[in-house]
Amino acid sequence: MTKLFISDLHLSPSNPTLTQLACDLLDAKKNQVDEIYILGDIFNTWLGDDLVPDEFASFVATLQALSAQGIKLHLMVGNRDFMLGHAFAKTVGARLLDDGYLLDIAGHKTLLLHGDSLCIDDVSYQRYRRVVRNPILQCLFLALPARFRQYISDKIKQKSQQKKQMKTAMIMDVNQAEVVRVMRERQIDLLIHGHTHRPAIHSLETQAGNKVHRVVLGDWQDKVSYLLIDDRQLRLHDHRVAGEESQLRLT
């Protein structure tokens, strides 16, 4: 069984080329994979499942075609599209996963995250994350007219961009101690996430001397980035990662 993982596409109505790139990749892989996991930030902004931009029609149709073909689709929200819900997932024939989803991959206990929860050094962001993930506040937001939702979203993005310029790259990356804590607490030996836009395969050694691995999915700009996993190995396809650094034997 072959699984495809992608994240951080950041699709936007203003960038039809990127949407087409996503459609092309998914269409090219439809006869090679059994499951597809999209681990958050599928969209650069999401104002609610009732406000799907017309510019995403081709992407929605591509997901629906994959589901109709029998490919299992799994979606996870990110820090940009945290308002994406079960209604959209149902529309495209996908399952909406909780952040922190466990599965078995070739005998490896695996944890899937978007990745922002690991960036605990960014204290202000973690505080913001707790607020916007509040179900009551989300319901209140969805009750607003579209123009007000857009206004609030624009203000949040503007403020976020201003703060981002003042933060160091280290603060916005994962906290290594938190990675170790989560992997130990969840008793996993494979962690897959996106968010940081730093594609790589990291190997860590546990206190017992065993090796565990963290795979970081890349963001999409003008080039695709994806992870393929079968019963024998995983391979990270990204122009920033090459050679032995892009693959890992699982058996």
Side-chain angles (χ1 to χ4, degrees), residues 1-187:
M1 181 171 287
T2 302
K3 298 175 174 61
L4 170 70
F5 296 82
I6 54 179
S7 74
D8 298 275
L9 284 73
H10 293 278
L11 301 182
S12 169
S14 63
N15 191 350
T17 301
L18 185 57
T19 300
Q20 188 59 51
L21 198 64
C23 293
D24 289 345
L25 175 74
L26 294 172
D27 189 59
K29 299 298 179 185
K30 66 182 180 183
N31 295 320
Q32 303 173 28
V33 302
D34 305 286
E35 295 186 76
I36 296 174
Y37 293 81
I38 311 181
L39 303 185
D41 282 4
I42 307 166
F43 305 101
N44 201 45
T45 303
W46 196 255
L47 301 178
D49 293 354
D50 58 328
L51 297 175
V52 182
D54 293 339
E55 291 85 352
F56 294 150
S58 60
F59 182 71
V60 170
T62 296
L63 294 179
Q64 290 172 331
L66 292 169
S67 179
Q69 183 179 316
I71 295 174
K72 294 181 179 180
L73 302 179
H74 310 274
L75 309 180
M76 183 179 287
V77 304
N79 58 293
R80 290 281 189 171
D81 53 6
F82 54 85
M83 293 304 301
L84 189 145
H86 291 281
F88 178 80
K90 184 178 181 181
T91 295
V92 299
R95 179 185 179 192
L96 190 63
L97 304 179
D98 291 332
D99 195 28
Y101 182 76
L102 287 169
L103 74 160
D104 182 277
I105 295 180
H108 294 267
K109 189 176 179 182
T110 305
L111 179 67
L112 306 182
L113 295 169
H114 174 59
D116 56 336
S117 62
L118 299 172
C119 303
I120 62 172
D121 293 327
D122 193 344
V123 178
S124 63
Y125 170 73
Q126 293 301 325
R127 185 165 51 246
Y128 160 80
R129 185 180 189 273
R130 287 192 294 273
V131 170
V132 298
R133 298 290 183 112
N134 185 301
I136 296 176
L137 291 179
Q138 290 187 347
C139 286
L140 291 173
F141 178 79
L142 292 174
L144 295 172
R147 66 181 184 278
F148 288 126
R149 290 189 231 173
Q150 186 66 63
Y151 175 79
I152 292 171
S153 176
D154 290 344
K155 285 296 183 182
I156 289 174
K157 282 193 291 186
Q158 182 182 17
K159 191 173 182 179
S160 174
Q161 190 62 34
Q162 292 171 349
K163 286 186 175 181
K164 191 174 181 179
Q165 293 174 354
M166 301 173 64
K167 295 176 181 178
T168 66
M170 183 176 294
I171 285 178
M172 292 186 289
D173 199 3
V174 301
N175 178 286
Q176 292 298 326
E178 179 68 3
V179 170
V180 172
R181 185 195 69 78
V182 168
M183 296 189 77
R184 182 185 300 139
E185 183 178 276
R186 303 298 293 268
Q187 297 182 325

